[in-house]
Amino acid sequence: MIIPHPLPAADNPAEALAAVVALRLLADQLERNAVAHAIAQGWSWTQVAEALGVSKQAAHKRLAGTLPPIDLPDQER
Amino acid sequence: MLRRLTQRISDMRTIKVLCTDAEKHANAAGQTEPGLEHFVLAALALPDGSARRAFERIGADPAQFTAAIARQYADALNSIGIAASPLDTQGDTAAIAPGKGPYQAKPAVQSLMQQLASRPGSHAAEPLLGAHVIAVAAAARFGVAPRALKAMGIDLQALINATQDELRTATAR
């Protein structure tokens, strides 16, 4: 991901806010995929929560039911 | 009186179908709560066909709306210098399981439901149709739904007019 120029000017808040919505969706997807891989590799929810900077309860409540299935190659297990 | 009661029950069934389908579309796109854009997709799939016909009246292909949602996300990311959209809005990696517990949706959906309940004709036993949902989405000033419609090259006022024409035709039947 390359962000080569400054963030949108304040004179176009509609476009800037649309970018915020897209970034949130992107961050959610990145988070779910990363956590799914971590859990598949044997991470505990405590470790995941520590890496995300949130409590274990918060991480589990928000993410546990939303993780995509991960099919790891044998060497990653 | 009986006709109005029957119509209310039928409208409640339509709302249930809309909510269920919208949630499926949201989950398929990796979102826990449906937004207005997911209700547009649900409305386009309603058997009354009025939502699809409203699009077709202005020469727009309703099948392109899903791609338009992804395109407006890409456009939004482009505006802050992220050249290619890495967002997966429909792929296998995006999909999540349906939420448990009470139905939850984005705030725009609450406004949608209020507008559907207070729509003209709701007291005259006129049925709730997909075109009503499209009219609300096209009248929204901000958000993913109107941005996706614009990404399809749709003139929002023309779409609102098309929904009104479609609703008049449906009422006359």
Side-chain angles (χ1 to χ4, degrees):
Chain A
M1 186 187 301
I2 299 168
I3 303 181
H5 56 71
L7 294 177
D11 60 356
N12 191 358
E15 196 61 28
L17 291 172
V20 170
V21 172
L23 281 171
R24 280 193 186 133
L25 187 57
L26 179 60
D28 286 348
Q29 282 188 8
L30 179 62
E31 183 180 52
R32 275 199 306 275
N33 282 327
V35 171
H37 275 280
I39 296 295
Q41 289 173 23
W43 286 41
S44 68
W45 278 100
T46 302
Q47 291 172 312
V48 168
E50 188 179 345
L52 288 173
V54 298
S55 72
K56 178 185 169 184
Q57 289 78 9
H60 192 270
K61 183 180 178 187
R62 189 160 55 84
L63 293 162
T66 69
L67 301 182
I70 300 295
D71 192 16
L72 292 177
D74 287 342
Q75 64 270 22
E76 285 190 45
R77 292 178 200 272
Chain B
M1 179 71 182
L2 180 62
R3 187 167 163 243
R4 271 212 311 218
L5 185 63
T6 309
Q7 192 55 62
R8 281 287 166 94
I9 293 169
S10 173
D11 286 355
M12 285 165 66
R13 282 199 201 102
T14 304
I15 294 273
K16 186 184 175 194
V17 170
L18 282 170
C19 289
T20 306
D21 278 8
E23 187 176 39
K24 283 180 188 166
H25 285 296
N27 293 160
Q31 298 177 52
T32 53
E33 298 176 353
L36 197 49
E37 66 277 18
H38 303 117
F39 277 80
V40 169
L41 288 168
L44 289 170
L46 281 179
D48 69 70
S50 63
R52 286 194 306 277
R53 288 194 298 274
F55 272 63
E56 289 159 1
R57 276 178 184 265
I58 56 169
D61 179 2
Q64 297 302 313
F65 188 69
T66 301
I69 293 172
R71 196 156 64 249
Q72 69 78 35
Y73 280 128
D75 292 345
L77 292 174
N78 280 337
S79 76
I80 55 167
I82 301 176
S85 170
L87 267 175
D88 180 0
T89 54
Q90 286 295 315
D92 291 340
T93 58
I96 60 171
K100 293 170 184 167
Y103 191 86
Q104 292 191 319
K106 291 178 182 162
V109 174
Q110 185 180 352
S111 172
L112 166 70
M113 290 302 160
Q114 287 167 349
Q115 291 182 67
L116 292 181
S118 62
R119 71 188 188 278
S122 63
H123 298 296
E126 291 173 11
L128 173 63
L129 300 173
H132 287 112
V133 177
I134 304 302
V136 174
R141 292 173 61 200
F142 304 110
V144 173
R147 280 178 58 87
L149 292 170
K150 286 180 195 166
M152 290 176 72
I154 288 176
D155 177 332
L156 298 184
Q157 187 55 53
L159 183 56
I160 291 170
N161 295 342
T163 61
Q164 289 166 349
D165 291 343
E166 192 55 45
L167 292 169
R168 269 193 293 272
T169 305
T171 306
R173 279 181 193 142

